Amino acid sequence: QSVLTQPPSVSGAPGQRVTISCTGSSSNIGAGYDVHWYQQLPGTAPKVLIYGKSNRPSGVPDRFSDSKSGTSASLAITGLQAEDEADYYCQSYDSSLSGHYVFGTGTKVTVL
Amino acid sequence: QLQLQESGPGLVKPSETLSLTCTVSGGSISSSSGYWGWIRQPPGKGLEWIGSSYYSGSTQYNPSLKSRVTISVDTSRNQFSLRLSSVTAADTAVYYCARHGRPGDSWFDPWGQGTLVTVSS
């Protein structure tokens, strides 16, 4: 069961900016744990998109950026491209119940 | 670079035990910086962390699955395994293995390609 809430879908035209929110609680994002972001293309395994303190693996364009405030985080995609159409997940750590990893509910990004 | 590959039966009967293995190549599973985890994704749904193990045998499990899950590491084979008991149709999912850092502020990377396990009689 996910404890990080994301919008089911967001969409935008090529070149536009879209944002995906990730809402948690005081035992995960609000407790100061990092939020990481994954991109999952259809039929493939998730790949880390942003990790740690806003780090991008080599090959991930700087069109992808993140932010965090309080019990929420967000991923922004600027200059939206057709290849960005995918599912996106946030992930963090929750200190309750002896500690465990948690994922967001996932957001489908559609390029119009 | 580090690569992970899941293997195991694609079909498991209800009430039986699901068993999967993840083979690690390109690096040692005994690396002091590595924790080894399992994540699953039911068809059309989101990701759920199942649990993780350090090479020493220290484990951490999802509270919602803890009573049914065992994760173990075989350093001699550079593999780690998942056992999920008393499965039902709700356990049908693509199962991924992945590496992560020390529990807390760590992320999962890399991931295996995933293997679909269907629970059905």
Side-chain angles (χ1 to χ4, degrees):
Chain A
Q1 72 288 14
S2 299
V3 294
L4 302 180
T5 302
Q6 299 178 231
S9 64
V10 298
S11 61
Q16 285 191 328
R17 178 179 187 271
V18 297
T19 61
I20 300 169
S21 60
C22 173
T23 303
S25 67
S26 58
S27 60
N28 42 69
I29 299 175
Y33 290 107
D34 287 342
V35 178
H36 319 288
W37 292 89
Y38 301 85
Q39 180 191 59
Q40 185 177 33
L41 297 170
T44 68
K47 283 187 177 179
V48 64
L49 193 64
I50 293 180
Y51 64 93
K53 302 290 191 289
S54 302
N55 299 299
R56 289 185 304 274
S58 61
V60 174
D62 58 7
R63 301 185 294 102
F64 294 91
S65 62
D66 71 330
S67 62
K68 191 174 93 167
S69 178
T71 58
S72 295
S74 64
L75 174 73
I77 310 174
T78 57
L80 195 64
Q81 298 183 6
E83 66 206 48
D84 300 332
E85 189 160 292
D87 293 324
Y88 293 82
Y89 293 90
C90 57
Q91 175 250 309
S92 188
Y93 191 79
D94 194 291
S95 60
S96 66
L97 301 172
S98 301
H100 55 285
Y101 288 95
V102 289
F103 284 94
T105 48
T107 299
K108 168 70 175 180
V109 169
T110 301
V111 182
L112 301 172
Chain B
Q1 74 275 21
L2 199 66
Q3 291 185 314
L4 285 71
Q5 176 71 58
E6 306 87 351
S7 60
L11 182 64
V12 180
K13 290 182 167 57
S15 80
E16 295 189 344
T17 296
L18 178 160
S19 295
L20 294 174
T21 296
C22 182
T23 300
V24 179
S25 59
S28 173
I29 203 168
S30 302
S31 165
S32 61
S33 60
Y35 285 74
W36 308 96
W38 290 95
I39 300 111
R40 70 179 182 179
Q41 184 173 36
K45 296 188 178 180
L47 301 167
E48 179 181 37
W49 174 70
I50 299 169
S52 299
S53 179
Y54 193 47
Y55 77 91
S56 63
S58 171
T59 55
Q60 210 177 6
Y61 298 133
N62 186 319
S64 68
L65 298 169
K66 187 174 183 177
S67 63
R68 299 194 291 131
V69 175
T70 302
I71 295 175
S72 58
V73 174
D74 185 341
T75 56
S76 65
R77 296 188 176 193
N78 229 33
Q79 296 176 332
F80 62 105
S81 299
L82 167 70
R83 288 174 58 85
L84 181 66
S85 63
S86 305
V87 297
T88 69
D91 296 308
T92 293
V94 175
Y95 286 76
Y96 297 100
C97 58
R99 177 197 172 279
H100 64 89
R102 194 172 54 191
D105 283 329
S106 60
W107 58 96
F108 296 90
D109 180 61
W111 296 57
Q113 65 182 31
T115 187
L116 174 63
V117 178
T118 302
V119 178
S120 175
S121 55

